[in-house]
Amino acid sequence: MASEFDLIARYFTRPAPSARLGVGDDAALIAPQPGFELAVSADMLVAGTHFLPDADPLALGHKALAVNLSDMAAMGARPRWALLSLALPQADEAWLEQFSSGFLALAAEYDVDLIGGDTTRGPLNLSVTILGEVEAGRALRRDAAKAGDAIWVSGELGGAALGLQHLLGERQLPPAEAAACLARLHRPSPRVALGCALIGLAHACIDISDGLLADLGHILERSNLGAEIRLAELPLAAAVAGRLDEPWALCAALAGGDDYELCFTAPAERAEAIRAAAAAAGVPVACLGRITAEVGLKLLDAEGRSMPLHETGFDHFAGR
Ligand code: ADP
Ligand code: MG
């Protein structure tokens, strides 16, 4: 059977031109460009908690890195280096071949070098540490929202959550919608180009991993502010669009996890610049509300009337 070192050499050792020293020593050596800060983040995917143990390894490799790239996007940082720590129940080379292909293909797409990690036997667990660069003092922080800011969201919401429900047999979707939702769940597109383009335009930013309300809630809490959200402006996955009067659809849109879109705030007068930056990054964006000095979150219906959360039926689903 291949040793741990053979596996690392075969599947995880690739040239790392952006590092002074990559995989193979006790530590990698890197240096950020002068005038830049390192943005550093880690995310772990645990079998049985974050994915089903028989999940497609190619998609898992993609997702393990994608969720970390999304954290860089949310800071406005350019991702540069990754470390990959794996606990594997056995040295299944077919699995490793697929997993590393998915991981390394996405790394190549974003110009990220794999510079180290750890490989050990144990219950399946995938942990990635990502390092990126952002101009000193300019990162998009959660605590930087200002009263009066417009609230924006990239892409569309609700698809990944419905994909998971479909996978678990909790909801039947027509084939085309199911395929779109499963793609959202398994192959999220980290919004790196948009995040970088928002430096100097946006105030606060976060990536939506736990649902719009929860993640926007982190911005509000850290910035000590409130928000109004106009339901009619929510950018929705096709499987949700037109069905917001049904609690399950509203719940997927407002509280569905795993979409990995960006939610950000910016002065209202920058709307045109933001639309131009998003178009250049190739990502749709929607303006769906505003930050208020008064704390708390208000949902507004199509006529601008405030909808208490419990009247939307959303409460019943929240926290799932
Ligand atoms: P050490 O004994 O010093 O911890 P290891 O034997 O764990 O070193 O790893 C040897 C080299 O391989 C190190 O450079 C480490 O960063 C790298 N490495 C180990 N596992 C992985 C992995 N899954 N992906 C990328 N690099 C890895
Ligand atoms: Mg080690």
Side-chain angles (χ1 to χ4, degrees):
M1 198 177 89
S3 76
E4 172 194 337
F5 300 104
D6 294 333
L7 297 178
I8 295 168
R10 210 168 294 158
Y11 299 111
F12 300 113
T13 305
R14 296 291 182 277
S18 67
R20 300 207 172 144
L21 188 60
V23 169
D25 212 310
D26 292 308
L29 298 172
I30 53 171
Q33 303 173 66
F36 284 71
E37 289 170 337
L38 282 178
V40 184
S41 168
D43 246 310
M44 186 152 67
L45 297 183
V46 179
T49 303
H50 301 102
F51 61 91
L52 305 175
D54 64 350
D56 170 25
L58 190 78
L60 269 184
H62 174 101
K63 188 158 179 177
L65 181 59
V67 300
N68 281 273
L69 295 178
S70 179
D71 284 321
M72 293 292 102
M75 298 301 288
R78 181 181 154 222
R80 306 236 27 219
W81 304 286
L83 296 110
L84 171 62
S85 298
L86 295 175
L88 303 168
Q90 72 258 329
D92 177 343
E93 294 216 34
W95 191 95
L96 278 167
E97 166 68 40
Q98 289 290 300
F99 175 81
S100 64
S101 296
F103 186 99
L104 292 171
L106 189 66
E109 189 181 331
Y110 285 86
D111 219 4
V112 167
D113 286 332
L114 180 60
I115 57 166
D118 203 10
T119 306
T120 176
R121 199 175 284 269
L124 185 57
N125 189 329
L126 320 167
S127 174
V128 175
T129 301
I130 188 95
L131 297 99
E133 286 180 319
V134 59
E135 263 183 83
R138 305 198 76 193
L140 306 173
R141 298 165 47 140
R142 295 179 182 185
D143 61 6
K146 299 267 181 292
D149 276 0
I151 302 171
W152 297 79
V153 169
S154 68
E156 57 181 48
L157 299 175
L162 289 188
L164 181 60
Q165 290 178 20
H166 181 82
L167 201 63
L168 297 175
E170 295 174 0
R171 187 163 306 283
Q172 297 306 313
L173 298 173
E177 287 183 4
C181 289
L182 287 172
R184 294 281 299 167
L185 178 68
H186 291 316
R187 300 190 65 83
S189 295
R191 303 305 193 187
V192 170
L194 177 63
C196 290
L198 290 175
I199 294 278
L201 287 178
H203 282 155
C205 184
I206 192 168
D207 67 322
I208 303 179
S209 53
D210 296 329
L212 172 67
L213 293 192
D215 289 314
L216 173 60
H218 293 309
I219 289 182
L220 301 181
E221 195 179 330
R222 295 295 299 278
S223 301
N224 200 21
L225 294 165
E228 283 175 3
I229 297 292
R230 300 184 299 269
L231 279 185
E233 312 291 339
L234 287 178
L236 299 173
V240 182
R243 299 178 185 155
L244 280 195
D245 49 341
E246 301 186 55
W248 63 268
L250 189 67
C251 180
L254 293 176
D258 268 351
D259 276 323
Y260 296 100
E261 295 295 350
L262 295 183
C263 173
F264 55 96
T265 82
E269 65 274 14
R270 291 189 189 153
E272 225 166 278
I274 284 168
R275 289 191 195 286
V283 185
V285 287
C287 179
L288 47 70
R290 64 184 189 94
I291 298 286
T292 58
E294 187 188 345
V295 297
L297 200 132
K298 258 194 206 154
L299 294 179
L300 304 180
D301 68 13
E303 279 76 49
R305 285 187 304 251
S306 176
M307 300 170 63
L309 276 184
H310 65 268
E311 272 178 28
T312 63
F314 164 80
D315 265 10
H316 175 68
F317 284 81
R320 288 194 39 188

